[in-house]
Amino acid sequence: MKSPEKTPDALDRRWHLARNPVEVDVAEIEYALMRAYEAFGRWQSECLASVIDFAASGPENAMLHIIRMNDRPKTIKDLARLANREDIPNIQYSLRKLIGAGLVVRQGSGRSGVTYSVTPKGLEVTERYADIRASLLIEAVRSVPNFPQKLEEATRTLDLLTGIYEQVARVAATHRRPAP
């Protein structure tokens, strides 16, 4: 991206998080990520709502599909790792919601013996979701020239950013100042 100082007629893309060209570029991708995350969550909720009368947030919907992934039961630790989440109480809340809707079943007992898998109803719902996803989202994606290559590049970039954010989050946590 060109520096705002070098293109006087360009939009002013500086803000408190972006005081120089590199910061502007990083702020732009972060802002795009925020918008994409929200749009993705809305898409997930609307797609699921077209299949079943069940109000689920984007992360709850994602949890259902992660549980279904590879058609193998998952522990809560597996779910947290696969979703790159640490908020176990929120994951447990989502699981209770999915169980209450009859989409997921809890099996086993004890701390490490509990797994979650989709029920026959959950299997039907995720299959119908996949059908709607294919007819709407995948069809839309197919209409964009060179989109498979763009997706590959975006995936690599997002994976790289995930690693960078994970590392700097560890550094920030390590050197956090104590509260006054």
Side-chain angles (χ1 to χ4, degrees):
M1 183 176 139
K2 293 182 180 179
S3 166
E5 295 81 29
K6 293 181 184 175
T7 54
D9 295 333
L11 295 173
D12 183 3
R13 300 206 185 275
R14 294 169 296 159
W15 52 319
H16 70 282
L17 295 175
R19 298 165 293 203
N20 62 53
V22 172
E23 289 181 359
V24 169
D25 290 342
V26 172
E28 288 289 322
I29 190 69
E30 288 176 335
Y31 189 41
L33 282 170
M34 287 183 247
R35 294 187 319 267
Y37 173 78
E38 295 300 331
F40 179 61
R42 271 191 303 283
W43 153 250
Q44 288 180 301
S45 295
E46 290 301 325
C47 189
L48 186 64
S50 70
V51 172
I52 184 174
D53 185 22
F54 173 62
S57 67
E60 290 163 350
N61 191 335
M63 191 63 53
L64 174 63
H65 294 287
I66 291 170
I67 292 167
R68 169 81 196 276
M69 185 189 303
N70 304 117
D71 291 315
R72 286 192 308 257
K74 312 282 186 309
T75 65
I76 199 157
K77 197 174 188 177
D78 294 334
L79 296 171
R81 184 174 46 256
L82 290 168
N84 196 27
R85 291 176 55 184
E86 297 176 343
D87 56 333
I88 300 299
N90 291 332
I91 293 172
Q92 290 170 326
Y93 174 78
S94 295
L95 289 168
R96 285 192 300 274
K97 244 179 112 171
L98 294 168
I99 290 167
L103 302 173
V104 169
V105 64
R106 179 184 192 260
Q107 299 162 314
S109 61
R111 285 194 142 214
S112 60
V114 175
T115 60
Y116 299 89
S117 55
V118 294
T119 62
K121 180 180 177 182
L123 183 66
E124 178 189 339
V125 164
T126 54
E127 284 297 318
R128 288 176 46 212
Y129 182 101
D131 292 341
I132 291 169
R133 180 179 179 270
S135 69
L136 295 176
L137 180 65
I138 303 307
E139 282 305 311
V141 164
R142 283 192 177 125
S143 70
V144 178
N146 300 318
F147 208 69
Q149 294 82 11
K150 291 176 183 181
L151 284 176
E152 267 185 47
E153 185 177 338
T155 300
R156 284 193 306 272
T157 301
L158 288 172
D159 285 344
L160 177 61
L161 277 172
T162 299
I164 290 170
Y165 281 118
E166 289 291 338
Q167 175 59 24
V168 296
R170 277 190 295 276
V171 171
T174 301
H175 301 289
R176 184 181 304 146
R177 291 188 175 144

